[in-house]
Amino acid sequence: MTGVLGTPAGEKALRPSGTVATGGRPESRSAHQRWWAAPAVPKVELTGAWAGSDGREDAVVLDEVQLLKAGEQRLEDIFCTSPPGGIPRGPLEGTAILPWAGSVGARFLAVFVSLGLWRGKVFSPDGHLSNRFTPLDVLAFIAKVSVGPSRLDGKDCIVVDYSRTSLLAMGVRDEVRQVAPNLYLGLVWLFGHKVGWFSLRLPGAVTTKPATHLDETYL
């Protein structure tokens, strides 16, 4: 049996509202939301500092617009020259990046995915995360978070491993690195093959632009 959006029965479901079963007893919504729910001024705790790909504070700062315009090779270059960064805690806003669709197509697909499907991730303090789906912010597909070597270049990255926590997503592995002070770039693997990219940003960060904001910058 599966739960919300394919979450296998037995998985520890993290929900943005209502109650969460913990040891057979319901946990209050207010207690659960203390660590993840975005307050009026969103805050996400970082466990490390970003200093640019070459260690200089004046390194070029990327944003989501540039990542959406980048091709596959450019994304690989950015990923390979970026540090892992600190593992965040709390909700991050996500943008799907599909360079195979072309520059304009990737931007419109990012808007479509963000409006109706995947919206980001929530990192919990216990070393796990859940994915945010639909405008209702339904949480599903739990993964284990750790630091480990990337399949792309062998250097450290933030590894998001679904193999032991989600039956439906057991073949998925995300690798994440911090490419700007408020922005992460993620690489998606499916059974050992690269299938796409995504970005994660701190809510309210002024150095990035939401993928759902279409204007002349995107066209």
Side-chain angles (χ1 to χ4, degrees), residues 78 97 107 164 171 184 200:
I78 294 171
I97 302 174
R107 283 169 258 159
R164 297 184 179 181
Y184 290 79
L200 294 171

Side-chain angles (χ1 to χ4, degrees), residues 5-213:
L5 287 181
T7 304
E11 282 195 5
K12 179 182 176 183
L14 306 178
R15 300 178 185 274
S17 60
T19 60
V20 178
T22 305
R25 294 182 300 173
E27 179 181 323
S28 68
R29 173 180 177 179
S30 59
H32 177 61
Q33 286 189 327
R34 278 198 294 268
W35 67 265
W36 84 268
V41 179
K43 296 180 181 179
V44 174
E45 178 184 348
L46 295 177
T47 57
W50 182 87
S53 60
D54 57 2
R56 296 183 297 107
E57 293 292 342
D58 60 347
V60 175
V61 178
L62 297 167
D63 60 22
E64 286 170 310
V65 177
Q66 292 171 295
L67 294 178
L68 283 167
K69 289 181 177 180
E72 181 73 27
Q73 187 58 55
R74 174 59 176 155
L75 290 171
E76 286 192 11
D77 291 343
I78 294 171
F79 186 85
C80 290
T81 55
S82 297
I87 297 177
R89 293 180 182 177
L92 273 72
E93 301 293 331
T95 299
I97 302 174
L98 302 170
W100 51 262
S103 180
V104 175
R107 283 169 258 159
F108 277 100
L109 283 175
V111 173
F112 172 77
V113 171
S114 180
L115 287 176
L117 299 174
W118 180 77
R119 301 189 61 223
K121 299 180 185 291
V122 179
F123 289 78
S124 68
D126 65 357
H128 292 82
L129 65 71
S130 287
N131 287 271
R132 303 167 56 196
F133 291 95
T134 80
L136 298 177
D137 237 3
V138 176
L139 302 184
F141 298 113
I142 299 171
K144 175 68 176 176
V145 181
S146 62
V147 175
S150 168
R151 290 176 176 174
L152 188 63
D153 60 7
K155 295 185 292 186
D156 278 352
C157 65
I158 299 172
V159 177
V160 181
D161 183 11
Y162 297 85
S163 63
R164 297 184 179 181
T165 57
S166 178
L167 292 177
L168 295 182
M170 64 183 303
V172 178
R173 170 189 167 106
D174 298 335
E175 297 181 352
V176 181
R177 285 180 178 157
Q178 194 170 4
V179 297
N182 298 302
L183 186 66
Y184 290 79
L185 175 63
L187 171 59
V188 183
W189 298 85
L190 180 62
F191 296 109
H193 300 280
K194 291 189 302 177
V195 294
W197 299 81
F198 62 89
S199 67
L200 294 171
R201 63 179 174 85
L202 279 66
V206 297
T207 58
T208 59
K209 178 174 292 189
T212 52
H213 185 92

